[in-house]
Amino acid sequence: MTPSSMLPISVTILTKDAQRLLAECLQAVSAFADVVILDNGSTDVTLDIAATFANVRVFQEPFTGFGPLHNRAVELAAHDWILSIDSDEIVTSELFTEISNQSLNPACVYSFPMENYFNGKRITTCGWHPDRHVRLFHRGRTRFTDVAVHEGVITTGLREVRLSHPVRHYSYACVADFLTKMQHYTDQFAAQHAGKKSSGPMKALLHGSFAFFKSYVLQRGVTQGYEGLLISAYNGHTAFYKYLKLHEANQRACRRDVP
């Protein structure tokens, strides 16, 4: 495919130690004219994999929170239309065709469904389905929020166009991935809300217990066997530890404020 025939959209991807699926992720977007990888400290072969794709440009910066890093990647893009994906997400050929056939309107943002997988199975319970995100937008009209976690594209005043075809998301390969992501996410949550949101051991316990119950019972994780149990336990532990870490962060802030 010649550069002139490639889709004039910049794909932005944040990476850190993303070797597991990066080649497949980048192959799926090889027909886009520009792919920006913003890496924050990979120690595996992530950067070596990225270097094998002609349409990929790699930048390296320290981690400053997911929202700020997404916005930085958008700034580095060569095109005004941005498709933001994660390094463990695979754009399906059907979605690529659907995007190619769109008459993109800067007054609109474009969302698509996510198909979430774990342990070789598509997960349709535990709050993992239905799952839809706005990820395609014009950078002259909007951007990501600047929060450290739970970032998203700002859609105020813009019309959402709901695309039909999915991205396939493979966020966890094993139990260790759950633990690593829980540690990182709960740290970011505590840092973001320290001094702004109250917490305590009982609040952490209540949030954790309800998160497990909601995922396993109300969201039918019980029907997906081992995978449903593990994901529900992860949801419960994440809620528990993020509020416990917030409690510790608030205590540290109080001690600093004492004369």
Side-chain angles (χ1 to χ4, degrees), residues 7 12 22 24 34 49 60-61 67 72 86 88 115 118 129 132 142-143 167 172 175 178 185-186 233:
L7 204 58
T12 60
L22 186 60
E24 188 176 355
D34 179 48
I49 294 170
Q60 294 176 278
E61 295 191 6
R72 177 59 179 150
D86 291 341
D88 54 11
E115 291 183 353
F118 171 62
H129 175 83
R132 174 176 287 271
T142 190
R143 64 200 298 273
V167 158
Y172 306 96
V175 172
F178 281 96
Y185 169 74
T186 53

Side-chain angles (χ1 to χ4, degrees), residues 8-56:
I9 294 173
S10 287
V11 179
T12 60
I13 307 172
L14 306 183
T15 60
K16 182 176 182 182
D17 295 336
Q19 66 180 16
R20 177 171 64 94
L21 284 171
L22 186 60
E24 188 176 355
C25 172
L26 293 178
Q27 184 60 47
V29 295
S30 59
F32 288 85
D34 179 48
V35 177
V36 171
I37 284 184
L38 185 54
D39 186 81
N40 55 99
S42 288
T43 57
D44 61 6
V45 295
T46 290
L47 301 184
D48 295 329
I49 294 170
T52 66
F53 289 84
N55 63 331
V56 173

Side-chain angles (χ1 to χ4, degrees), residues 9-212:
I9 294 173
S10 287
V11 179
T12 60
I13 307 172
L14 306 183
T15 60
K16 182 176 182 182
D17 295 336
Q19 66 180 16
R20 177 171 64 94
L21 284 171
L22 186 60
E24 188 176 355
C25 172
L26 293 178
Q27 184 60 47
V29 295
S30 59
F32 288 85
D34 179 48
V35 177
V36 171
I37 284 184
L38 185 54
D39 186 81
N40 55 99
S42 288
T43 57
D44 61 6
V45 295
T46 290
L47 301 184
D48 295 329
I49 294 170
T52 66
F53 289 84
N55 63 331
V56 173
R57 295 182 297 128
V58 176
F59 302 86
Q60 294 176 278
E61 295 191 6
F63 186 79
T64 54
F66 289 109
L69 273 184
H70 277 297
N71 284 324
R72 177 59 179 150
V74 168
E75 291 174 1
L76 295 166
H79 298 283
D80 286 333
W81 280 102
I82 306 297
L83 173 63
S84 175
I85 61 172
D86 291 341
S87 60
D88 54 11
E89 295 175 350
I90 313 299
V91 175
T92 58
S93 58
E94 294 84 359
L95 178 59
F96 172 78
T97 300
E98 188 175 10
I99 292 173
S100 302
N101 292 333
Q102 293 290 317
S103 296
L104 296 176
N105 181 351
C108 298
V109 293
Y110 298 80
S111 68
F112 43 77
M114 310 291 286
E115 291 183 353
N116 294 294
Y117 292 81
F118 171 62
N119 207 25
K121 297 181 181 180
R122 184 180 173 193
I123 305 301
T124 57
T125 64
C126 301
W128 282 23
H129 175 83
D131 188 22
R132 174 176 287 271
H133 297 279
V134 170
R135 295 285 194 84
L136 176 60
F137 60 94
H138 192 283
R139 69 179 175 184
R141 297 297 297 271
T142 190
R143 64 200 298 273
F144 278 88
T145 55
D146 275 320
V147 296
V149 294
H150 288 319
E151 76 289 352
V153 176
I154 299 168
T155 60
T156 305
L158 301 171
R159 181 170 67 88
E160 180 182 343
V161 176
R162 296 169 65 88
L163 303 181
S164 301
H165 294 98
V167 158
R168 297 195 178 100
H169 186 202
Y170 302 88
S171 54
Y172 306 96
C174 58
V175 172
D177 283 349
F178 281 96
L179 297 176
T180 299
K181 291 195 176 186
M182 179 172 63
Q183 178 80 322
H184 187 58
Y185 169 74
T186 53
D187 283 347
Q188 291 297 315
F189 176 87
Q192 180 177 322
H193 294 285
K196 304 171 187 175
K197 190 181 184 77
S198 65
S199 189
M202 186 55 66
K203 188 172 186 177
L205 181 61
L206 290 173
H207 274 279
S209 299
F210 180 73
F212 174 80

